[in-house]
Amino acid sequence: MNDLKGRHFLTLQDFSAQQIESILELAIELKTRQKEGLPRHLLKGKTLAMIFQKPSTRTRVSFEVGMLQLGGHALFLSSGELQIGRGEPVKDTAAVLSRYVDGIMIRTSEHSEVEELAHYATVPVINGLTNLLHPCQALSDLLTIKEKLGYLQGVKIAYVGDGNNVAHSLLLGCSKMGMSISVGAPEGYHPQTEITNLAKENADASGGSVKVLVEPAEAVKDAQVIYTDVWASMGQEMEKSFRKDKFGAYQVNEKLLSLAAPDAIVMHCLPAYREEEISTQVLEGEHSVVLDQAENRLHAQKALLTLIL
Ligand code: CP
Ligand code: NVA
């Protein structure tokens, strides 16, 4: 039975481990079917509106192609071209779009804007990244780890770098699934306490664990998965050089990788900045699964769309 129909997807925190597992199972099935040349038109005639207030390569293309492969259609709406960019309230945009489309995906800065959109929309709303969270990324990351390692419960993952939106969703997703997650981030750049506390509660219930540390070497010790993301996120471009100094010791390189489990996989949500948060050697090396991870955005989101729309 599908209990996800009509649900918004704003944060993984709103979903049980069982529900996340059901999305991952469907993603694996849809991926196999697509690769066999047997696409399933599970969303025939359905339309997804995609509002982008920030740039995107993966999110835009994977949602657009995903809807097409499912027999539906996606509309790319950049905020500069929408009336929202001229001051039409989010409330009215939500209500009006709900009369035309079957779902709305939005990428924006303020998380409260996505919550407001979801409040006034009568169709499911998907969070395509806010300053606080990036749940579609974490969903695809869980799919990738499950594929590569064969299981999630008990997997030891280390996130090294800025305690940002990607780190937040990873903390929530991994802790829900019974994984042990360690974050290694400089003082002042730790994940938000509220998110860490939620993750700790999740871990208490799931049998996982959550640690937030300062030393990257301590975070990656024996890790089966090492994950990093940019040091300056979209909207923080002005801080880029300052952050580069702050985060120098947090680069994922051969030296840091040597402290992890011997067959550890290396993940990055992309886009990556070579020789900043990750060395070229590691990003393009044999431990890296970043391209499979990027591909899985397509499959995980197709499963999500199929279940909620
Ligand atoms: N990982 C990710 O969300 O990539 P885009 O910014 O290209 O969508
Ligand atoms: N933390 C990054 C993720 C990009 C996909 C950002 O928000 O820019």
Side-chain angles (χ1 to χ4, degrees), residues 54-55 109 131 232-239:
K54 286 180 171 184
S109 298
N131 291 349
S233 285
M234 288 180 274
Q236 297 173 331
E237 287 79 8
M238 301 277 281
E239 295 175 35

Side-chain angles (χ1 to χ4, degrees), residues 93-104:
T93 307
V96 171
L97 285 180
S98 297
R99 299 289 178 109
Y100 300 130
V101 301
D102 303 285
I104 305 169

Side-chain angles (χ1 to χ4, degrees), residues 3 18 32 63 138 149 167 170 176 207 233 237 287:
D3 61 346
Q18 210 175 1
T32 309
F63 268 108
L149 273 61
L170 204 63
K176 283 257 171 184
S233 285
E237 287 79 8
H287 293 266

Side-chain angles (χ1 to χ4, degrees), residues 242-284:
F242 173 75
R243 283 172 168 260
K244 215 168 152 177
D245 295 337
K246 263 293 205 244
F247 284 90
Y250 291 80
Q251 185 186 77
V252 174
N253 51 30
E254 288 291 334
K255 191 166 165 233
L256 199 66
L257 182 58
S258 71
L259 305 173
D263 53 355
I265 57 170
V266 174
M267 300 180 74
H268 190 310
C269 61
L270 304 180
Y273 292 88
R274 285 166 171 78
E275 304 309 329
E276 291 188 20
E277 75 275 4
I278 190 162
S279 68
T280 306
Q281 202 183 1
V282 170
L283 184 72
E284 296 177 6

Side-chain angles (χ1 to χ4, degrees), residues 54 58 107 129-131 134 137 164-166 229-230 232-235 269-271 297:
K54 286 180 171 184
R58 281 143 288 268
R107 165 170 288 198
L129 180 145
T130 63
N131 291 349
H134 197 359
Q137 182 65 54
N164 60 16
N165 44 8
V166 169
D229 183 21
V230 291
S233 285
M234 288 180 274
C269 61
L270 304 180
R297 292 293 303 275

